[in-house]
Amino acid sequence: MTNPINEITEHAQMMLLIGTNATEAHPVIGYKMRQAARRGAKLVVCDPRHIDLVDEADYWLRLKPGTDIPLLNGLMHIIIKEGLEDKAFIEERTENYEELKEVVASYTPEYVAELTGVPVEDLYAVARLYATTDRAMIFYTLGITEHICGTRNVMSIANLAMLTGHLGRPGTGVCPMRGQNNVQGACDMGALPNVYPGYQPVNVDANREKFEKAWGVSLPAKIGLKIPEMFEAAHKGTVKAMYILGENPVLTDPNANHIKEALDNLEFLVVQELFLTETAQFADVILPAASFAECDGTFTNTERRVQRVRKAIEPIPGQANWQTICQMVTRIGYPMAYDHPHDIWKEMASLTPSMAGINYDRLEKESLQWPCPTLDHPGTPYLHAGKFTRGLGLFQPSEHIPPGEVPDQEYPYLLSTGRILFHYNVTTPYSGGISSVWDKEMAEVNPVDAEKLGIQTGSLVKVTSRRGQVTTAVRVTDRVLPGVIWMSFHYASTPTNELTSAVLDPVTGTGEYKVCAVKIEPI
Amino acid sequence: MFISGQKRKGVKVLKMVSIVINGKEVEVPAGSTVLQAAEMVGIDIPRFCYDPDLSPLGACRMCVVEVKGNRLLPAACVTPVFEGMEVNTESEAVIEARKTILELLVANHPLDCMTCEKMGDCKLAEYCYRYGVKESSFAGEKHQYAIDDSNPFIVRDLNKCILCGACVRACEEMTGQDNLSFLYRGFDRKATTAGDVDYIESDCVFCGQCVAVCPTGALTEKSMVGQGRRWEYGRIRTTCPFCGTGCNFDLAVKDGKIRGVLSNPEATVNGRMLCVKGRFGWDFIYNEKRLTTPLIKKDGQFVPASWDEAFDLIAERLNAIKAQYGPDAFAALSSARCTNEENYLVQKFARAAMGTNNVDHCART
C-alpha cells in the first residue's frame, strides 16, 4: 500500500474499491472502510459479486469478470473528456500522458457500458466523483491481480490515480492489500528469484558483490525460476530437488493436478510444515515446523509496517524454524549460526538500505514502516511524496485483454474463486472451533442457474473444468451474477484449484484464479 | 492565548480552560468531558457504559459527579468542562448515588463471582469492592436466562449483563455488523441479537468485539472457561498470523499453554478490533495433527526420525543432486506465512548454500 490503513478513517473522503472483498479477506480494514463510509466518506465498490460493502456503497459498479481495464479506461476517458484531470500533477510528475490519452480515447462510456455491463450514468458519476474528490484512496486485491492481465490491471489503476493526482498525500494512494500476514515481508526479504532483500536485483554486479562479501561465497547472477516455472521445470525434469517451507501449493496453486505431477517427478523433496499437508505427502523428508506463537521474529503487514512476533510458548517440535533452517543448512556445508532472530534481522538490515534504521530495540517501543534508512528516521507512512521511485510516474495504458478461458457451449459457467471470512487459506481448517462451524465448501450459484440446474441450497454438484473435477455443496444466492459460480479454496474435500485455469499473467506468473470455464452437474 | 483551530507552526493549538477537580486547579483542553479531564490529571471516575472507543451513551450513571451550582449529579462521560467549573468526583452525594446504582445492579446479578470467568477483570466487582457493596436492599425478581453457548467461541450469559450497551455499540460502531441491539422494555430489557436468537443463529461474524468491551462476565471467551483466573495469565503481545492487515493482540498464556487471545488497546493498526480468525482461530496450534518430529519416507510410508537423521539425509541428497545436475536443479519455496527472519534464511540458503536464485513464495500464486 502506498498509504497507511489508518488513513481510511482519519483522512479519506472517498474510497474506490476494485476487486477486493475487504470485510472477508481483510476484515479489520473492511470494518474501517465501513466506519468511514458511515461517517460520510464516499464509497464505490467495483465487483461482480454482491459483497458486504456493496450495502454501504454510494455506487456499485457490477462489472463483468475480467473487464477491469475497460472500466478503468472508461473512467479515464470521461475524466479527460470533461477536463477533470490534474493538469499540474501530470505536467510535473508524470510522462507518457499522450499515449494514455490516445488509448483511452476509444473507450467511450457507451462502448465501456457494453463491455462491462456498468450503466453509462454510473460511469459518469464515479469518474466525476473520483476526479473531484481531494482525498480519494483506491484499494485492490486479488480481484485485480489474479487475471491474465493482472499487471496491466494494476498499471491501469496507477494511471487513474496519476491522472487525477491522487498520490503522495495523506488520504490518497493506490493500496493493494497484501494477502497473507507476511507476504509483504517475504518479498522484502528477497524470497523472490530476481532480487536480494530490499528489492536489490541479483543481476546488478554491485549488489551481488555486496552480498558475496557478506556471505563469504560467490553468488549466481542468473535470475531464478518463479513458482510456476519451478513446477514446469520439475515436470520437465530440470529441477530435481525442492525445499518447501510452510506452503501448500497442492491446494492453493492453480491447476493442482499439474502441481502434483511435478512434485511426484522430483527426485528429492523436503517440506517444513506444521501438518502433514497435501503437499507434505509428496515429501521425502518432513521437518516439523513451529507456529507463530512459538517463534520470535517479525511480520511486515500490507502497509510496510514491521511488527514483532513474540514467542509465547515453547516450540511444539522442540525448536524454532530459524534454528531448524540453520542446522539443516550447516549440515549441507554452509555454516549458519545466530543466537537469536534479532541477529538475523541485524544481518539483513546491514545489507538492506531501506530497512537499515529498524531494529528490535526500536520495535519494542513502536512499529515502523519502511523505508526507514537510519536509526533516527521515523519510517515512511505514505510513499511517493513529491517524487516517484523512478522519478517521473510513467503512464502505461492498456487495451482490453479478455480472460484466457471463457465459458463456451461445453463449459458454460464462469468459475471465480476467493476467500471467505471464516478461513484463511489452509491453516484454519485445523482450528477445531472454526472447522466445527464452517466445515465444507458452499459454492455460490445464482437462483436463475439453480432453477435451470434443478438444485437448491445444500444440493451437491459436480463441477468440471478442462483440468479437473470436484464435488461441492451449493448456496443459491444472488450475490453472484447468472452464469457465474463462485468458490473458495480452503477445503481439502473440495480442492477448487484442481479446476482453476493454467493461464498466467505473463509478467508475474500469477494464475488466472478469477476466471475459468466450468460445467455444473447435479448429483 | 490561542484560539481553538488557530495554527501556529502547523500545529493546531487547543484552547485550554481552567477547572477545579477535587480541590485541585487544572488546565484541560476545551471540549473535554469531565471524565476525560479527570483522566488527564490521574483521577479515576468509575464507569460502565463509557468506553473511549465507542460513542458516549451516558446511561449507566456510574460516573456521576458533583458540579458546583448544579442541583443534579451529571454524568461525567457526557458533561463538557467549562471555564471555572468546580467538580467533586467523590463527594458524599456522589458516593451515595454510586452505591445505590451498584445495589440496584447487584439486586439482579447472579453473584456467583467465585466461579465467574471474569473475576479479576470485572468492573461490577471492582466498583462493589471500592464502595463496599456486598448485597442489595432491593430484593426482587432475578433474570433466569438460559446461557447461550451455541457457538465454539463466545459464552453469553445475559444474567450477568448490566445493560451498558457496549456490545451493541461495538457491533455497530467497530465492526458495523449491526447484529446486536436492545430489545424489550423495563425488567425484560435485553442487549441481544435481532429476533433474540442465539449467536450461532444470528448474523454474528464472531469478531468478538462485544467480548472485548464487555465490563462483566456476560460475554466471555469459551476457550478460557475454567482455564484460569484473569490475573494468572501472562500476556504476550504479538502479530496475527492470518491476513496482511497486521493486527496485534495478546496471547493469554498460563502454565506454558495458550488459553485465549485478548485485545490490546495499544495495537497500532487495529486497536481492540479483530476478526474471527485472529481472535478464535489460534487453536490450530494445539491440533493433535501437529507434526512433532522429523519424518522420513521409507517404502512409501513416513517413519519418525531424529533431527540428525533427517539433516544427514537432506545434506547427502541435496549435495549429490547439486553435484550431478548443478545448482539450478534445486528450487526453494519460502513462505508468506513465516517471519521475515525465516524468509531471509531461506533465500540465503538457496543463494549462498545451494548457489541458485531459484527461490520464490506464494506472493504470485
Side-chain angles (χ1 to χ4, degrees):
Chain A
M1 289 169 62
T2 60
N3 288 57
I5 293 165
N6 285 329
E7 287 184 2
I8 296 169
T9 46
E10 288 165 11
H11 293 287
Q13 297 165 317
M14 176 188 175
M15 299 163 283
L16 176 65
L17 276 53
I18 181 162
T20 183
N21 181 9
T23 53
E24 297 207 59
H26 300 85
V28 168
I29 297 178
Y31 305 156
K32 285 175 188 267
M33 289 172 173
R34 195 142 53 189
Q35 290 170 11
R38 289 183 183 186
R39 281 182 213 151
K42 297 288 180 201
L43 176 64
V44 175
V45 175
C46 312
D47 204 301
R49 276 173 91 212
H50 185 153
I51 59 170
D52 292 348
L53 284 170
V54 164
D55 298 335
E56 312 284 338
D58 295 278
Y59 295 96
W60 176 25
L61 308 187
R62 192 173 204 182
L63 74 171
K64 293 177 196 158
T67 61
D68 304 272
I69 293 172
L71 176 69
L72 292 159
N73 282 354
L75 296 176
M76 290 188 273
H77 175 102
I78 295 168
I79 289 167
I80 294 171
K81 188 168 77 179
E82 302 206 334
L84 299 174
E85 73 276 19
D86 186 336
K87 294 177 187 73
F89 190 92
I90 294 166
E91 176 64 31
E92 287 158 29
R93 298 206 42 190
T94 69
E95 57 186 325
N96 206 30
Y97 176 55
E98 286 309 312
E99 193 192 333
L100 177 84
K101 245 167 106 172
E102 222 168 276
V103 170
V104 304
S106 58
Y107 288 82
T108 61
E110 293 70 26
Y111 174 54
V112 169
E114 192 188 306
L115 278 177
T116 62
V118 175
V120 167
E121 58 271 24
D122 287 356
L123 293 170
Y124 273 104
V126 170
R128 288 169 184 157
L129 182 65
Y130 181 71
T132 57
T133 303
D134 181 38
R135 297 192 302 277
M137 301 176 84
I138 303 183
F139 299 88
Y140 69 88
T141 313
L142 305 179
I144 279 295
T145 52
E146 288 180 351
H147 285 281
I148 187 172
C149 52
T151 307
R152 289 279 156 188
N153 283 345
V154 171
M155 287 171 177
S156 302
I157 290 174
N159 292 343
L160 176 63
M162 289 195 295
L163 178 69
T164 49
H166 283 124
L167 281 160
R169 292 180 287 127
T172 66
V174 172
C175 299
M177 296 189 285
R178 308 299 307 259
Q180 297 88 346
N181 55 322
N182 201 35
V183 63
Q184 181 68 50
C187 294
D188 300 344
M189 292 302 112
L192 293 170
N194 57 333
V195 289
Y196 296 119
Y199 307 94
Q200 304 174 76
V202 295
N203 54 3
V204 170
D205 290 347
N207 295 338
R208 209 167 50 254
E209 282 157 21
K210 177 168 77 172
F211 281 88
E212 284 177 339
K213 203 173 145 208
W215 294 346
V217 287
S218 76
L219 294 170
K222 191 179 127 201
I223 288 173
L225 303 175
K226 302 181 192 116
I227 292 182
E229 294 165 344
M230 288 178 188
F231 289 120
E232 209 49 59
H235 244 272
K236 280 195 311 215
T238 49
V239 161
K240 301 283 187 188
M242 283 186 79
Y243 161 85
I244 301 178
L245 168 67
E247 295 219 345
N248 190 3
V250 170
L251 266 198
T252 60
D253 284 22
N255 197 7
N257 288 322
H258 187 77
I259 306 280
K260 287 190 214 169
E261 288 158 21
L263 292 173
D264 224 14
N265 208 27
L266 289 172
E267 282 187 21
F268 192 63
L269 173 64
V270 182
V271 171
Q272 188 168 341
E273 252 302 350
L274 296 170
F275 299 104
L276 190 53
T277 60
E278 293 71 15
T279 300
Q281 299 282 0
F282 289 84
D284 296 283
V285 180
I286 302 176
L287 300 170
S291 77
F292 81 107
E294 299 150 46
C295 297
D296 279 305
T298 55
F299 291 152
T300 305
N301 79 350
T302 182
E303 50 172 2
R304 298 163 282 104
R305 185 184 299 282
V306 183
Q307 303 190 102
R308 274 301 310 277
V309 177
R310 292 185 182 86
K311 179 177 154 181
I313 55 169
E314 288 305 315
I316 285 177
Q319 55 188 35
N321 299 331
W322 65 273
Q323 293 169 310
T324 300
I325 298 168
C326 287
Q327 289 163 18
M328 172 181 71
V329 177
T330 303
R331 195 70 59 96
I332 289 167
Y334 180 82
M336 251 191 199
Y338 303 89
D339 289 333
H340 187 270
H342 187 198
D343 298 326
I344 304 170
W345 178 275
K346 265 198 281 197
E347 175 182 311
M348 183 281 303
S350 73
L351 296 163
T352 310
S354 58
M355 311 267 176
I358 303 176
N359 60 37
Y360 277 33
D361 289 339
R362 289 190 76 183
L363 292 178
E364 274 310 305
K365 298 188 260 326
E366 57 189 333
S367 56
L368 289 160
Q369 288 172 278
W370 67 262
C372 180
T374 56
L375 288 172
D376 56 3
H377 193 284
T380 309
Y382 61 89
L383 301 175
H384 312 310
K387 183 166 165 280
F388 291 105
T389 315
R390 74 181 286 277
L392 291 176
L394 179 66
F395 283 110
Q396 297 186 82
S398 249
E399 299 286 355
H400 177 37
I401 303 166
E405 183 182 87
V406 288
D408 53 22
Q409 246 179 345
E410 196 184 348
Y411 297 96
Y413 289 93
L414 188 153
L415 168 68
S416 195
T417 69
R419 296 190 171 106
I420 66 163
L421 168 65
F422 301 100
H423 279 295
Y424 202 83
N425 291 11
V426 290
T427 323
T428 41
Y430 292 99
S431 156
I434 286 180
S435 60
S436 72
V437 185
W438 298 279
D439 58 347
K440 62 172 190 287
E441 182 66 45
M442 293 294 283
E444 295 180 356
V445 175
N446 187 277
V448 173
D449 298 323
E451 204 185 320
K452 250 191 274 172
L453 292 161
I455 54 173
Q456 299 142 21
T457 293
S459 298
L460 286 179
V461 296
K462 254 188 332 195
V463 184
T464 313
S465 78
R466 288 182 176 83
R467 294 152 298 277
Q469 180 177 81
V470 303
T471 303
T472 178
V474 299
R475 173 179 291 124
V476 178
T477 168
D478 55 12
R479 272 164 71 92
V480 291
L481 287 162
V484 174
I485 176 170
W486 188 92
M487 295 171 72
S488 79
F489 56 91
H490 305 296
Y491 302 99
S493 54
T494 303
T496 302
N497 281 317
E498 295 194 3
L499 306 174
T500 45
S501 177
V503 170
L504 306 176
D505 177 289
V507 182
T508 59
T510 296
E512 188 158 51
Y513 293 90
K514 297 301 181 193
V515 184
C516 75
V518 295
K519 62 181 170 195
I520 306 172
E521 296 159 284
I523 299 179
Chain B
M1 194 73 187
F2 302 106
I3 296 160
S4 176
Q6 196 178 28
K7 284 189 178 179
R8 181 178 173 239
K9 288 181 189 166
V11 180
K12 236 183 212 175
V13 181
L14 292 168
K15 188 184 170 191
M16 303 296 280
V17 295
S18 294
I19 64 168
V20 177
I21 303 187
N22 298 351
K24 199 170 134 194
E25 193 174 329
V26 295
E27 286 229 319
V28 296
S32 309
T33 63
V34 172
L35 190 145
Q36 288 166 333
E39 270 184 350
M40 279 173 224
V41 295
I43 293 169
D44 177 34
I45 298 178
R47 79 289 298 270
F48 288 123
C49 72
Y50 172 79
D51 187 300
D53 293 331
L54 302 173
S55 62
L57 194 64
C60 76
R61 313 311 289 179
M62 194 60 195
C63 69
V64 291
V65 291
E66 200 167 315
V67 175
K68 196 176 172 188
N70 190 335
R71 282 189 308 118
L72 305 169
L73 300 178
C77 70
V78 290
T79 304
V81 294
F82 56 82
E83 183 65 35
M85 189 182 211
E86 283 183 44
V87 182
N88 191 332
T89 69
E90 296 284 338
S91 72
E92 244 175 74
V94 165
I95 291 170
E96 196 49 42
R98 287 187 192 146
K99 277 185 170 175
T100 306
I101 292 164
L102 288 169
E103 284 185 28
L104 284 164
L105 289 172
V106 162
N108 182 17
H109 198 85
L111 299 182
D112 58 354
C113 307
M114 54 284 277
T115 56
C116 180
E117 278 310 316
K118 267 310 228 357
M119 188 176 182
D121 190 23
C122 169
K123 285 232 178 310
L124 183 59
E126 182 187 331
Y127 298 143
C128 282
Y129 182 81
R130 180 158 153 184
Y131 294 105
V133 174
K134 56 180 174 181
E135 55 199 7
S136 181
S137 50
F138 303 96
E141 203 185 340
K142 287 200 181 202
H143 290 304
Q144 297 292 336
Y145 296 127
I147 292 172
D148 171 11
D149 63 351
S150 58
N151 67 86
F153 314 115
I154 298 168
V155 180
R156 193 165 64 121
D157 180 355
L158 290 186
N159 301 301
K160 294 178 180 172
C161 175
I162 57 169
L163 297 174
C164 71
C167 58
V168 175
R169 283 172 288 154
C171 193
E172 183 183 330
E173 296 169 14
M174 288 176 157
T175 308
Q177 189 64 18
D178 306 342
N179 186 49
L180 297 175
S181 62
F182 284 112
L183 288 189
Y184 315 119
R185 297 270 162 218
F187 180 75
D188 295 325
R189 193 165 166 80
K190 220 174 167 187
T192 187
T193 59
D196 198 14
V197 294
D198 282 350
Y199 267 15
I200 197 74
E201 304 295 332
S202 74
D203 287 341
C204 182
V205 291
F206 297 101
C207 64
Q209 262 69 281
C210 54
V211 182
V213 299
C214 180
T216 70
L219 295 166
T220 51
E221 296 85 354
K222 203 172 198 175
S223 68
M224 297 173 84
V225 171
Q227 299 299 315
R229 290 305 192 181
R230 295 280 157 156
W231 60 83
E232 295 178 300
Y233 291 111
R235 293 176 70 136
I236 312 293
R237 180 165 167 185
T238 194
T239 305
C240 183
F242 294 110
C243 84
T245 303
C247 296
N248 273 203
F249 52 66
D250 289 350
L251 290 168
V253 181
K254 191 191 155 202
D255 301 333
K257 211 170 167 215
I258 297 164
R259 314 282 179 162
V261 157
L262 298 171
S263 285
N264 184 325
E266 305 290 309
T268 314
V269 174
N270 57 303
R272 287 186 291 175
M273 292 194 289
L274 291 171
C275 79
V276 58
K277 299 180 287 278
R279 200 183 294 278
F280 300 117
W282 55 269
D283 62 336
F284 74 87
I285 293 168
Y286 293 117
N287 187 300
E288 57 185 20
K289 291 183 183 151
R290 274 290 295 274
L291 299 170
T292 54
T293 174
L295 300 170
I296 293 176
K297 199 182 262 169
K298 287 178 183 157
D299 303 325
Q301 296 291 315
F302 285 112
V303 180
S306 70
W307 289 98
D308 263 336
E309 287 170 308
F311 291 144
D312 279 342
L313 180 60
I314 292 168
E316 182 202 315
R317 296 292 291 125
L318 291 187
N319 282 327
I321 286 167
K322 184 178 170 185
Q324 193 180 345
Y325 304 104
D328 289 335
F330 174 78
L333 262 192
S334 198
S335 176
R337 308 298 296 278
C338 290
T339 63
N340 285 322
E341 292 73 10
E342 289 154 10
N343 275 286
Y344 176 79
L345 291 184
V346 171
Q347 60 90 35
K348 187 176 175 184
F349 163 36
R351 293 185 162 120
M354 299 304 292
T356 179
N357 284 311
N358 290 345
V359 57
D360 203 356
H361 71 283
C362 67
R364 69 184 84 250
T365 59

